[in-house]
Amino acid sequence: MEFVIISLLVLIDQITKYIAKNYLIIRQPINILEGFLNLVYVENRGAAFGIFRDKKIILIGFTSLVIVGLIYYLYKNKGKDKIIDICLILVIAGAIGNLIDRVFLSYVVDFIHFYIRDVFDWPVFNFADIYVSIGAVLLSIKLIFFDK
């Protein structure tokens, strides 16, 4: 069941990136909430916040190792802790979603831009980034506050 959920999350990520690549590249930005949220097409050739820019081989290798390690851990510990399972599913799905882009496009398609007028400007991101962030934050909270 875990791998079905991972596949569905990756599919959602890839469909939204496909739409962004084919629609936003022509018409951008699209304001969703004026002064707070818009959709804009960005080709990210690095990792989070653009680090390791144009280091495709390093990013693909590292991401692949992380994915294999997390899948192995999930498989070996399946069902022992549902919250950890959910966190790992999210991180794995996000990592796979962005890995697909890096392998086939040489960049990651980002399109969600959150900002607060001229006060705050978060880097543009995608659904895979959301999955990884939520999974990592929930896992951190679980391990720090709820595990012995």
Side-chain angles (χ1 to χ4, degrees):
M1 185 61 166
E2 290 83 0
F3 298 105
V4 171
I5 296 168
I6 290 169
S7 298
L8 287 173
L9 290 172
V10 170
L11 183 63
I12 291 167
D13 173 66
Q14 290 297 299
I15 288 171
T16 58
K17 289 174 180 174
Y18 176 83
I19 293 168
K21 185 170 175 58
N22 289 287
Y23 184 73
L24 288 175
I25 202 163
I26 300 165
R27 183 178 179 259
Q28 65 175 335
I30 296 176
N31 288 314
I32 304 298
L33 289 171
E34 185 66 41
F36 298 100
L37 179 68
N38 64 26
L39 302 178
V40 59
Y41 178 76
V42 173
E43 294 177 358
N44 183 353
R45 297 181 185 278
F49 308 107
I51 61 172
F52 295 110
R53 183 167 182 78
D54 295 320
K55 305 289 187 216
K56 178 182 171 182
I57 300 301
I58 293 169
L59 291 170
I60 289 173
F62 179 74
T63 303
S64 299
L65 288 173
V66 168
I67 291 168
V68 169
L70 292 177
I71 289 173
Y72 176 78
Y73 184 89
L74 181 63
Y75 175 75
K76 289 303 239 179
N77 296 284
K78 188 168 115 178
K80 288 183 181 177
D81 188 319
K82 287 293 183 193
I83 293 178
I84 290 178
D85 289 355
I86 291 167
C87 295
L88 294 180
I89 286 168
L90 288 168
V91 172
I92 292 166
I96 291 171
N98 283 340
L99 180 64
I100 290 169
D101 284 14
R102 280 195 188 94
V103 168
F104 293 103
L105 302 174
S106 296
Y107 57 85
V108 173
V109 174
D110 288 330
F111 59 93
I112 304 167
H113 182 215
F114 174 72
Y115 62 103
I116 301 173
R117 301 200 189 279
D118 295 329
V119 177
F120 176 80
D121 191 4
W122 193 258
V124 182
F125 57 96
N126 58 46
F127 278 90
D129 298 333
I130 294 169
Y131 303 156
V132 170
S133 298
I134 291 172
V137 168
L138 289 177
L139 183 60
S140 297
I141 291 169
K142 166 80 169 114
L143 295 176
I144 292 169
F145 296 108
F146 298 101
D147 276 2
K148 297 175 184 172

